[in-house]
Amino acid sequence: MPTHHQLSHAQQALWFLYELAPESSAYNTGVALAIRSAVDLSALDAAVAETVRRHPMVGSTFDNPGGQPVRVSHSPGPGDLEVREMPGLDDDGLRTAVRDALNEPFRLRDGGGFRFVLLRRSAADAVLLIAGHHIATDATSNWLLLRDLVSSYGRIAAGEDGTLEPVPGTYDDYVAKELKLLSSPRGERLAAHWHAVCDGAGPAEIPTDRPRSAGRTGAGATYHLDVDAERVALVREAARDTGVTLFSYLLGTFQGLLHRYTRQNDFLVGCPTTTRLAPPMREVVGNFINTLVFRAGFGPGTTFREAAKAADEQVRTGIGGVGYPFALLTRTANRPRTSSGASLCQITFNMIGTATPDPLMRLLLDSERGDAAIEHAGLLVAPFELPQAEGQLDLAVNVRQSVDTLAVDFRYDTDLFDPVTIERFAGLFLRALDAAAADPDGVIARLRLMDGTELARLMGFGGGEGAEEHA
């Protein structure tokens, strides 16, 4: 018998966006794994069924009877593994096929928010994709599903019991806790705090190559940047000397670049973070993402060190109020609700680490490993890069921290920006990192946005003194 469940505020916001553009793939997310050994299809299908049984969110659909959106849970059914045979496909073709499988629209009312797809070039050459709509999942949830699926598969393929342990918590527990917080005095204090953060400030906005339309189409792309070990070591040293975390130093430098690039002195930047804080929630599949709103303020003499310390304070204060839903703040902060959900933040910045004991998770996250394969659960597996979540915002900067290096993805709206614009902005981020590491007490307003070659070329086209002003 289907059962209705109340949605979290984040889920309600995503339902609103889904109804506006049901064919959009902007909120599709997932994880993929290259498999370089033979796969027992019957065992994999059974493992999918067991994974769905362990995580009720996976077998749920979504609807809005009477105008109120709800999650509808169903009795677990058989596995729903889709196998797509693609013999002879080259590497580029395989990447395109996997990305297309990720970006197929979800039918949330009828088919739910997940799909499990095995794309096979041969019996021992395949990619396993778990795709989900953000209303039902997040990055950690995707990894939990992949971990459980592969673990169950390994035992079933070996002739053992593939049953997974019950999850100690439920997403309903999370929704109930959110409702309790919002109706409490602490919820009122958090609301006042976040409204004060946002009052009088607008989102950071870098100049676009094309006019902004009323809504987003979800068209996007990613520019990838690797920050080498030598650079990272210098930034770490500057962060330690300043007394802040590496993330705070990176955030302060990024905010400083936005100030220098846009000439905005007072602006908002978002930071997606997890609300999966209580131990019972650590194994639950669902949307546990909230966006913290950081307000940056700059003057003509603000230094990189001062920006990093201010960012560190923003992070510390923000984490204390992480339970207040960004979706609710957007609706109550006297900002219009838009099809992008971005009336407060057009640009986000976040960082994830790879310090995890799980070999499969470490394989997926550690950019230093490249395409190195490992043996796991009876399979030879390797990471498979999966660009996603593109076009949700003007710009979403995601930093992956490895042991010595950083991998930075600049995900952007291609309706607004040309690739060369984002590539140049990424280069400026590197330049800002170098400046912040070399001289933490350097004034951000003096950061050069053009090197000598660019400046000479611009002045050769008649830039004159005005070019110097913007350099």
Side-chain angles (χ1 to χ4, degrees), residues 390-406:
E390 300 167 335
Q392 292 181 7
L393 300 167
D394 288 10
L395 179 65
V397 180
N398 298 274
V399 182
R400 281 177 292 157
Q401 179 185 6
S402 296
V403 176
D404 298 314
T405 64
L406 298 174

Side-chain angles (χ1 to χ4, degrees), residues 11 15 21 24 34-35 49 62 64 114 146 149 156 198 214 233 258 265 289 356 367 384 397 416 425 442 456 460 466:
Q11 288 181 311
W15 178 262
S24 173
I35 302 178
F62 296 83
N64 60 337
F114 290 91
L146 182 65
L149 175 58
I156 294 172
C198 299
L258 288 174
N265 298 325
I289 295 297
T356 170
S367 63
F384 190 90
V397 180
L416 297 178
F425 185 82

